[in-house]
Amino acid sequence: MTWLDLLIAVACVAGVLGFISVVALVAIWTERKISAHIHDRLGPMETGGFHGWAQTIADMVKLLQKEDIIPDAADKPLFKLAPYIVLSATIASFVVLPFGAHLIGTDLNIGIYYLVAISSLEVAGILMAGWASNNKWALFGGMRSASQMISFEIPIGLSLLIPIMIVGSLSMQDLVGAQAGGFWNWGVFSHLPFAMIAFIVYFWASLAEVNRTPFDLPEGESELVAGFHVEYSGMRFAMFFLAEFANMFLVAGVAVALFLGGWHAPFSFLEISAESNVILHNLVGFFWFASKGMVLLFIQQWLRWTLPRLRVDQLMHVCWKIFLPFSFVNVLIVSLWIVLTQS
Amino acid sequence: MEVALFILIALVTVVSALLVIIRKNAVSSVLFLVLTFFCLAMLYVMLGAQFIAAMQVIVYAGAIMVLFIFVVMLLNLGTDQKWEITGPVRKWMGFGSAAGILLIAVLAFRGMQSPTTEMDTSIGTVSSIGETMFQSYVLPFEVASVLLLAAIIGVVAMISRKPVDATTVEGGNES
C-alpha cells in the first residue's frame, strides 16, 4: 500500500459522499412530490421555480444553520458519535457498489459479503442513538429498528445467495459481468422462477432493512414521534436523514447489481463497447445503473405512500414464517439445479 | 505504511479491550467490545483473510453484539451496579486470575514464531475456507450444526410450555 493508493482511496470516498448527497437531495424532493401526488396535492411548488426543485437544498441550508441541541439527560459522547457511525457504515458499503465497468471503489473478492457485513454495523449506531438519547420513544425506535434489521438480514442473505451460487463468485464485477448482453440474461430471469422469487424476497426484506413502509415501525410517527432520531436536531439529524436515503439507494443498487443487470443496458445496442471509448462506456454504464436504481427507489416511495404500517407481530410473522421458508426452499432447489446441470 | 497502520490498529484494539473492563457503565463497555471486534477484523484483513474478517464483523460485531446490547439494555443496568466481593475470597480470586493470565502469556510467547516474509495470500479466500470446512472437517462441522439445532429446539420447547394458570399471554396471536 503506497501513498498513491491512499490518495485514490480518499478520492473514492469523496466521490461516494458527493454521489449520496446528490441522490439524497433528489430522492427527498421526489419523495415529497410523489407523496403529494398520491395524496392528490401538489407538494413544494415555490422554491427554485420549476415544481419547487430547490426545496431540499433550502432545507439543507436551514439544517446547517440550526442549533445542535444535546439533551441534558443524554449520554453525551454516545449521542454525538451515533450519527457518524451510521453515516460512515453507509459510505463504507457504497465502496463496493459497481457504478460502471471501472467506476467501482474497489472490486473486493468478497464484495457482496463485505457489503452485508459492513452495513450490519449500522445497527450499532442506531441502537447507540436510541439509547444515548435517554428518551423512551427513541429507545423503542432503536430497539425495533435493531430487532427488525437483524431478523430481515437472514432472508436477505439467503436470497442474495441465489445469484452468488449461479455465478459462482462473490465479487461484484463478476456478478454484473455474468448478466451481459440483453435483459433476458439478467439475474432475475435465470433459473426461472427461482431467481425471481429471490429478487422479490430481497426487495421486500430490504424495505424492512432500511425502515421503509410497510415496515417503518422504528419511525412510526403516530406512535413514536420519530423513532431513534427524535432528540436529534440540526446537522446530526441531517446526517441520519442522509444515511437513510443513501441506504435506500444502496439496497436498490444491490438489487440492480445482482438481479437487474447492473450497469448493462437492457439491449446490448444501447451500450458503447469498452474498446471504442472507455470513458463513454463507463458513463453510459453509470447512466443505466443510476436509472435502474432510481426506478427501484420510486417503487419504494410508491409503496410507502400506498400501504399501511404492519404491527410488530405481523412483521416478525412475515420474516420468520413466510420469507425464511421460501428462501430456504429456494436455496435448496437452486443448488440442486446447479449440481444436476453441472455434472 | 503497513507497519504504521498495524501499530495504529493494534493500539486501538488494546486500548478498547482495556476500556471494556475499565468502564463502569455496562452499555459503553459493550460498545467498546464492538470496537475491539471491528479492529480484530481489520487485523484479519491485513493478514489477507478477508472472508474471516467479514465473518468477524457479521457474527461478532453485528449479530452477537446486538443481542448483547439488548440484554444489557433490558436488564437496565445503571452505573450504580457494583460487584461486591470482600474478604479473603477477593484476594484468592485476584491471585487465581493473575496466575491464569501469566500462564496464558507464557504459553502464547512459547508458541510464537518469527514472522515469515512470504505470505500465502490464498489462505483467506472463500474457496480455500470452503474446501477446508466441507472436506477435511466436514464431520465436526455437521456435529456443531446439530448441536446448535438441538439448542434451538430446546429453547423453543422451554418457552412454549403452557403457563400454570391458563391465562393467555396478552397481545400474542392465537397459536
Side-chain angles (χ1 to χ4, degrees):
Chain A
M1 193 174 170
T2 60
W3 291 107
L4 185 68
D5 290 335
L6 197 67
L7 208 66
I8 294 172
V10 171
C12 276
V13 173
V16 164
L17 193 57
F19 179 77
I20 62 176
S21 313
V22 174
V23 163
L25 283 180
V26 175
I28 293 171
W29 179 69
T30 55
E31 173 106 60
R32 283 177 167 162
K33 295 306 278 188
I34 291 166
S35 69
H37 284 277
I38 289 175
H39 290 166
D40 207 5
R41 296 183 282 121
L42 285 173
M45 287 301 284
E46 302 290 331
T47 323
F50 177 73
H51 282 266
W53 65 273
Q55 184 63 49
T56 333
I57 300 170
D59 283 345
M60 278 290 159
V61 173
K62 183 197 76 176
L63 280 175
L64 275 170
Q65 295 168 332
K66 281 224 166 174
E67 188 190 351
D68 182 22
I69 301 166
I70 298 169
D72 264 345
D75 187 328
K76 290 186 182 64
L78 289 186
F79 185 85
K80 288 181 187 163
L81 194 61
Y84 297 104
I85 290 185
V86 173
L87 189 61
S88 47
T90 309
I91 293 174
S93 26
F94 266 81
V95 164
V96 293
L97 215 56
F99 290 101
H102 302 94
L103 284 173
I104 179 168
T106 169
D107 190 20
L108 289 175
N109 62 355
I110 52 158
I112 182 69
Y113 198 58
Y114 160 86
L115 202 149
V116 174
I118 211 85
S119 56
S120 74
L121 279 180
E122 223 188 288
V123 182
I126 288 178
L127 264 177
M128 263 167 85
W131 188 77
S133 302
N134 211 347
N135 171 319
K136 56 187 159 191
W137 310 126
L139 184 60
F140 269 128
M143 301 282 245
R144 282 183 181 185
S145 179
S147 59
Q148 91 180 39
M149 277 163 106
I150 51 172
S151 306
F152 279 86
E153 238 163 47
I154 302 166
I156 283 185
L158 285 171
S159 44
L160 292 181
L161 260 182
I162 306 288
I164 292 170
M165 282 195 305
I166 293 170
V167 178
S169 169
L170 288 167
S171 141
M172 289 299 244
Q173 289 294 29
D174 288 354
L175 287 162
V176 174
Q179 306 173 51
F183 70 89
W184 52 91
N185 285 337
W186 288 0
V188 245
F189 299 117
S190 69
H191 295 66
L192 272 173
F194 301 108
M196 194 168 275
I197 295 174
F199 172 68
I200 293 165
V201 169
Y202 172 78
F203 188 74
W204 279 102
S206 72
L207 290 181
E209 190 81 356
V210 293
N211 304 331
R212 299 287 295 183
T213 317
F215 309 112
D216 70 336
L217 298 125
E219 287 173 18
E221 289 87 349
S222 47
E223 318 160 25
L224 298 180
V225 192
F228 58 89
H229 55 62
V230 64
E231 291 287 359
Y232 283 85
S233 61
M235 215 39 223
R236 290 181 211 280
F237 171 74
M239 284 167 84
F240 274 122
F241 223 62
L242 186 62
E244 187 185 325
F245 278 86
N247 270 320
M248 280 165 63
F249 187 84
L250 180 73
V251 294
V254 171
V256 169
L258 265 67
F259 294 102
L260 300 178
W263 42 266
H264 290 297
F267 297 99
S268 43
F269 63 83
L270 290 172
E271 281 179 52
I272 289 166
S273 71
E275 289 85 48
S276 58
N277 192 334
V278 178
I279 296 173
L280 224 54
H281 175 66
N282 274 298
L283 284 179
V284 172
F286 179 79
F287 167 76
W288 285 113
F289 187 84
S291 11
K292 287 177 200 169
M294 280 301 182
V295 169
L296 287 187
L297 213 65
F298 167 70
I299 298 175
Q300 288 177 353
Q301 296 176 344
W302 181 11
L303 288 173
R304 172 169 180 186
W305 297 102
T306 310
L307 295 176
R309 184 182 306 136
L310 292 182
R311 272 198 331 257
V312 179
D313 60 318
Q314 291 170 332
L315 175 95
M316 289 301 163
H317 177 92
V318 167
C319 177
W320 295 101
K321 294 188 180 167
I322 298 173
F323 285 169
L324 204 59
F326 261 102
S327 318
F328 268 127
V329 172
N330 218 1
V331 168
L332 273 179
I333 294 175
V334 173
S335 39
L336 196 69
W337 185 327
I338 291 171
V339 167
L340 288 179
T341 49
Q342 265 179 356
S343 54
Chain B
M1 183 71 200
E2 211 143 274
V3 176
L5 206 60
F6 171 75
I7 291 173
L8 184 71
I9 297 172
L11 262 178
V12 176
T13 316
V14 172
V15 169
S16 58
L18 277 175
L19 283 169
V20 174
I21 50 174
I22 290 172
R23 291 296 300 244
K24 287 223 172 83
N25 186 327
V27 173
S28 59
S29 295
V30 169
L31 290 168
F32 276 115
L33 198 55
V34 177
L35 185 60
T36 312
F37 283 142
F38 189 66
C39 290
L40 284 179
M42 287 201 272
L43 290 176
Y44 284 137
V45 172
M46 295 190 74
L47 289 169
Q50 295 94 340
F51 185 75
I52 305 278
M55 201 67 120
Q56 170 90 9
V57 172
I58 285 188
V59 175
Y60 287 98
I64 291 189
M65 290 322 297
V66 170
L67 294 179
F68 236 112
I69 296 173
F70 265 129
V71 170
V72 169
M73 283 176 174
L74 289 175
L75 292 180
N76 215 358
L77 296 175
T79 42
D80 51 336
Q81 288 279 330
K82 288 206 185 80
W83 181 251
E84 290 283 7
I85 304 170
T86 46
V89 182
R90 191 177 187 172
K91 208 185 285 174
W92 287 113
M93 277 175 72
F95 270 124
S97 39
I101 291 170
L102 187 69
L103 186 69
I104 292 170
V106 168
L107 288 176
F109 279 109
R110 268 168 53 96
M112 208 157 74
Q113 291 169 343
S114 58
T116 48
T117 41
E118 73 268 23
M119 201 165 66
D120 186 7
T121 47
S122 71
I123 196 165
T125 59
V126 184
S127 54
S128 71
I129 287 172
E131 265 164 30
T132 320
M133 201 183 258
F134 293 108
Q135 284 180 355
S136 322
Y137 298 105
V138 67
L139 189 66
F141 176 80
E142 293 296 339
V143 170
S145 52
V146 170
L147 190 68
L148 285 175
L149 186 67
I152 293 170
I153 293 172
V155 168
V156 172
M158 273 165 71
I159 59 168
S160 65
R161 255 192 322 213
K162 288 263 161 57
V164 185
D165 316 307
T167 49
T168 48
V169 185
E170 200 184 333
N173 45 13
E174 286 76 39
S175 61

